[in-house]
Amino acid sequence: MSGLDEIAKVDTEIAQVVRDELHRLRHKIELIASENFPSRAVLETAGTVLTNKYAEGYPGHRWYGGCEFVDVAEELAVARARDLFGAEHANVQPHAGAQANTAVYLCALEPGDTILGMEKIAGGHLTHGTSANISGVLYNAHFYGLNRETEMLDFGEIARVARDCRPKLIIAGGSSYPRDIDFAAFRAVADEVGAMLMVDMAHFAGLVAGKVHADPVPHAEFVTTTTHKTLRGPRGGLILCQERFAQELDHAVFPGVQGGPFMHIIAAKAVALKEASQPEFAEYARQIVRNSRAMGEALQERGLRLVSGGTDTHLLLVDLRPLGLSGSEVEEALDAVRITANKNNIPFDDKPPAITSGIRLGTPAVTTRGMREAEMVEIADLIALVVRNMGSEEVMRRVRERVEELLAGFPLYPDL
Ligand SMILES: *Cc1c(COP(=O)(O)O)cnc(C)c1O
């Protein structure tokens, strides 16, 4: 652990935090749908001297000297992003998904313009127009929900809302929507009302890269994503757009939203994008979906209700109302048996975001650890035991043992 030793020489408290966090990751089942375990190559790149460099601007046009090597890193990241997703233009500088979205708004909109995104409670993201976010402060935000019966996107309804509010930009994609998305249908609505389309694929970018999710790029003016969720890269953001917006978009990222780019993270994005273009990554993406389907079926067989009746992606949303439980109490009970997941609102939820009626589960991290369908059935069994025996110390103890046994077969970062 030479890296940790170096930290400990200066700061034993933070060294202990890192040790504790690694221990937590190794000894818990990670089901948070937005988290993953990037490769050692990605982690190492993010911890290099590239963090030192000021490189405001873009390759070949920087405001600082000494950028000849970081320029190579950024050019590689941009070319790989374009190739991987078949996009005309890529900007790899956004520090995170939120900044990527803000930059698109700055590029495409004037303050006061109307935007139309998915309601937060239906699975949309806070950066899609909620009042607490800059997207809701600067723009006139309207929302579409889901069909009450199917709990899926309803393009009749989306078109009706769009005709009503006449948005300049429609936003597709979200954080807890478990089904595939029909981007051609979104395009048709956008065309009908003269809107541009932005797809936020933060959650499912890795599935798009692996060709197990519909591809938004041919249908949207702008596609934004994080790089640290299913894409399994460093924490960061990425924007793809049509060539005609390239210059304005780059200007919106820098100097519009950000100052100096994080060159260590951009280099790590390049590494992750290279990994994502390999056949092994496509197999990884396929296994993510096979795993979430297996987990979903096993949960249903044990009597749990899935929002929309299933999943096409890496995530599942469990409706806890039939069990008389809330998301917050189930999150806590699962954590006590070393299963990490998050409470989540479900469509038409009547409980507030701090309580919720649902729990969101995701398979990207456990799939990275090497688990397959059999392990998903085991995890579903453990979850069902917990929610059916809330408060039973005996059941909790047995589940904790089974969690430990399961994880022992799937070592995480063994040489860290
Ligand atoms: C995670 C997420 C984001 C924001 O990403 P950050 O990196 O946390 O800023 C944006 N949009 C969607 C749909 C997300 O799920």
Side-chain angles (χ1 to χ4, degrees), residues 34 95-99 101 123-128 173-176 200-203 224 226 228-229 235-237 360:
S34 48
H95 300 331
Q99 286 71 20
N101 289 348
H125 192 258
L126 82 144
T127 58
H128 297 180
S175 302
S176 56
D200 180 347
M201 62 172 183
H203 257 268
T224 59
T226 58
H228 51 274
K229 297 181 183 175
R235 183 159 299 272
R360 188 183 67 163

Side-chain angles (χ1 to χ4, degrees), residues 50-51 53 55 62 70-71 73-74 261-268:
L50 298 181
T51 191
K53 191 73 202 91
R62 304 284 193 185
V70 294
D71 275 5
E74 184 162 347
F262 298 169
M263 297 317 300
H264 57 311
I265 297 298
I266 288 173

Side-chain angles (χ1 to χ4, degrees), residues 336-349:
V337 297
R338 309 208 179 105
I339 296 175
T340 314
N342 65 282
K343 60 181 172 289
N344 209 103
N345 277 124
I346 58 174
F348 310 103
D349 207 335

Side-chain angles (χ1 to χ4, degrees), residues 2 93 132 219 290 321 376 412:
S2 72
Q93 291 195 3
H219 304 288
R290 285 197 290 264
R321 290 174 307 184
M376 298 305 112
L412 178 67

Side-chain angles (χ1 to χ4, degrees), residues 182 199 245 268 283:
D182 184 348
V199 176
F245 298 107
E283 179 48 30

